[in-house]
C-alpha cells in the first residue's frame, strides 16, 4: 500500500462525476492547477488517460466509464471506514449476552435487581455470571468476560476500573450468641471464639488477620470456606463467628437477608481498613455503545443499593 495515496480516490471520484478539472477543483476546494496535477498523477497510477478533450468539454475513456460505476460507492466506504466512528445504540432492540465475573454476594444481593433493571430496558439481553475463582485479569484480556465486579488485586495496568461503592468488614454470629451479651467486646474474647475463615483460594492471609497480627493476637480457625454465603449458613447453625463485608447485610433491594435466618451482625473489636468494590473491564470495550450502557446500568444500580 506504500505507493497508493487514498487522497487520489476522492479526486478521482470528483473528476469522474464532474467530468471537468475546474468543476472537480471547485468541488474539493482546491486550485485548478492542483487538480490538473492530481489528474496527471491519476493517469500515471492507473495507466489510463481517464478524461480526454472533446471540443470544449472532457469525456471519459472506456476504463474511466467503468470506474465511474464503482468509485462513488468505494469512496463512501473508505470515508466511512477511516472517518470518526459513529455509534448507534438502542437498548430496546439490543440482542446481546453480557458475561460477568462476580462473587456470590453480588449475585445473591444484586443479581435479581440487575436482571430486572436490564430486562425492563433491553428485554432481549442475557446476563451470564461465571465463578470468580481468582483475581486473574486474563479472562478480561481474552474476552471470556465483559465485566468483573470486585476488588482490584491483580497487577494489570491496562485494565479500566470504576468505583462502585466502598465497603468494610463486620462480624456475624447466630442470634443469642455469647459475644452479643458483651457491652464492650474485647479483641481477646472475640479471638478466643471459633471462627470461620472465608478464602476463595484457600490462602490464610486476609485483612482481618493482618490487623490482628499487629496486636499479637490470633483467631481460632477450625474451618475454611470459599464464600461468604457459606460462612453465613455455618454461623446460622453453630457457635462459630465469621467476618463478612458490610454489603452482605442487605440493601434497598434485599433489606434484611440475615435476620430471616437467625443471624445477627456486630462491629468488629479490631480496626480493619475499608475496601473498594469496582467495575473492571478491558480498554478494548471502552467505546462500545452496548458495553458503555451496561456498565452505566451496573454503576447506577450499585450506587442505589449502597449510596
Amino acid at each position: 500500500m506504500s505507493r497508493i495515496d487514498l487522497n487520489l480516490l476522492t479526486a478521482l471520484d470528483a473528476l469522474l462525476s464532474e467530468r471537468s478539472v475546474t468543476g472537480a477543483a471547485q468541488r474539493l476546494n482546491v486550485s485548478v492547477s492542483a487538480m490538473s496535477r492530481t489528474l496527471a498523477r491519476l493517469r500515471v497510477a492507473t495507466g489510463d488517460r481517464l478524461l480526454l478533450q472533446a471540443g470544449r468539454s472532457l469525456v471519459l475513456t472506456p476504463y474511466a466509464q467503468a470506474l465511474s460505476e464503482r468509485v462513488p460507492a468505494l469512496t463512501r466506504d473508505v470515508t466511512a471506514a477511516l472517518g470518526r466512528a459513529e455509534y448507534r445504540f438502542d437498548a430496546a432492540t439490543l440482542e446481546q449476552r453480557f458475561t460477568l465475573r462476580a462473587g456470590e454476594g453480588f449475585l445473591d444481593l444484586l443479581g435479581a435487581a440487575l436482571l430486572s433493571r436490564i430486562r425492563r430496558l433491553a428485554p432481549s439481553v442475557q446476563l451470564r455470571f461465571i465463578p470468580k475463582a481468582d483475581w486473574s485479569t486474563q479472562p478480561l484480556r481474552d474476552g471470556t468476560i465483559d465485566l468483573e465486579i470486585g476488588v482490584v488485586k491483580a497487577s494489570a495496568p491496562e485494565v479500566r476500573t470504576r468505583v462502585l461503592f466502598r465497603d468494610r468488614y463486620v462480624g456475624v454470629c447466630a442470634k443469642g450468641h455469647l459475644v452479643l451479651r458483651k457491652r464492650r467486646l474485647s479483641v481477646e474474647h472475640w479471638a478466643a471464639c471459633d471462627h470461620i475463615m472465608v478464602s476463595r483460594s484457600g490462602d490464610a492471609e486476609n485483612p482481618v488477620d493482618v490487623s490482628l497480627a499487629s496486636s499479637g493476637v490470633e483467631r481460632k480457625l477450625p474451618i475454611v470456606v470459599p464464600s461468604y454465603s457459606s460462612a453465613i449458613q455455618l454461623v446460622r447453625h453453630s457457635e462459630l463467628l465469621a467476618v463478612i463485608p458490610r454489603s452482605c447485610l442487605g440493601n434497598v433491594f434485599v433489606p434484611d437477608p440475615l435476620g430471616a435466618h437467625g443471624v445477627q451482625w456486630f462491629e468488629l473489636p479490631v480496626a480493619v481498613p475499608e475496601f473498594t468494590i469496582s467495575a473492571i473491564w478491558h480498554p478494548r470495550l471502552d467505546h462500545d455503545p452496548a458495553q458503555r450502557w451496561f456498565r452505566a446500568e451496573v454503576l447506577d444500580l450499585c450506587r442505589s443499593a449502597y449510596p
Side-chain angles (χ1 to χ4, degrees), residues 46-265:
T46 62
D48 189 86
R49 298 289 303 282
L50 298 175
L51 290 96
L52 297 174
Q53 198 72 40
R56 292 188 174 184
S57 61
L58 297 176
V59 295
L60 304 182
T61 66
Y63 179 66
Q65 185 65 48
L67 285 179
S68 68
E69 299 174 3
R70 300 165 46 206
V71 167
L74 182 60
T75 304
R76 289 193 300 271
D77 289 344
V78 170
T79 300
L82 299 181
R84 296 287 295 179
E86 294 184 6
Y87 298 106
R88 294 179 177 84
F89 174 72
D90 180 12
T93 60
L94 181 64
E95 295 185 8
Q96 188 166 330
R97 180 172 70 180
F98 294 98
T99 302
L100 302 89
R101 189 169 70 165
E104 290 182 8
F106 182 90
L107 184 55
D108 292 345
L109 295 168
L110 290 175
L114 179 60
L115 178 62
S116 175
R117 183 188 188 99
I118 295 300
R119 293 202 67 185
R120 184 175 68 253
L121 301 171
S124 296
V125 160
Q126 181 189 59
L127 302 182
R128 177 175 177 253
F129 283 87
I130 66 172
K132 191 180 180 75
D134 52 38
W135 286 272
S136 169
T137 56
Q138 189 57 40
L140 290 170
R141 288 170 170 160
D142 62 27
T144 304
I145 61 175
D146 298 305
L147 191 66
E148 171 129 17
I149 308 295
V151 178
V152 180
K153 289 193 176 183
S155 176
E158 80 273 23
V159 300
R160 302 283 194 264
T161 64
R162 185 77 181 271
V163 173
L164 297 176
F165 58 91
R166 296 282 294 169
D167 210 345
R168 64 187 180 89
Y169 289 108
V170 297
V172 288
C173 62
K175 287 185 177 179
H177 196 285
L178 291 176
V179 296
L180 298 175
R181 301 175 188 175
K182 298 285 184 180
R183 179 172 296 180
R184 184 175 181 181
L185 181 62
S186 69
V187 173
E188 292 75 16
H189 187 275
W190 171 74
C193 298
D194 287 335
H195 290 248
I196 302 168
M197 163 77 78
V198 179
S199 174
R200 188 177 297 113
S201 63
D203 189 354
E205 184 174 317
N206 63 73
V208 176
D209 293 295
V210 170
S211 295
L212 280 174
S214 63
S215 305
V217 178
E218 291 186 10
R219 290 190 294 167
K220 294 166 61 179
L221 299 167
I223 186 169
V224 180
V225 299
S227 69
Y228 294 116
S229 57
S230 298
I232 291 169
Q233 289 304 314
L234 283 173
V235 162
R236 176 187 178 189
H237 299 290
S238 70
E239 293 296 312
L240 294 165
L241 304 182
V243 175
I244 65 172
R246 176 70 174 80
S247 58
C248 291
L249 303 183
N251 52 59
V252 295
F253 304 109
V254 183
D256 187 16
L258 302 186
H261 297 294
V263 176
Q264 191 165 337
W265 73 279

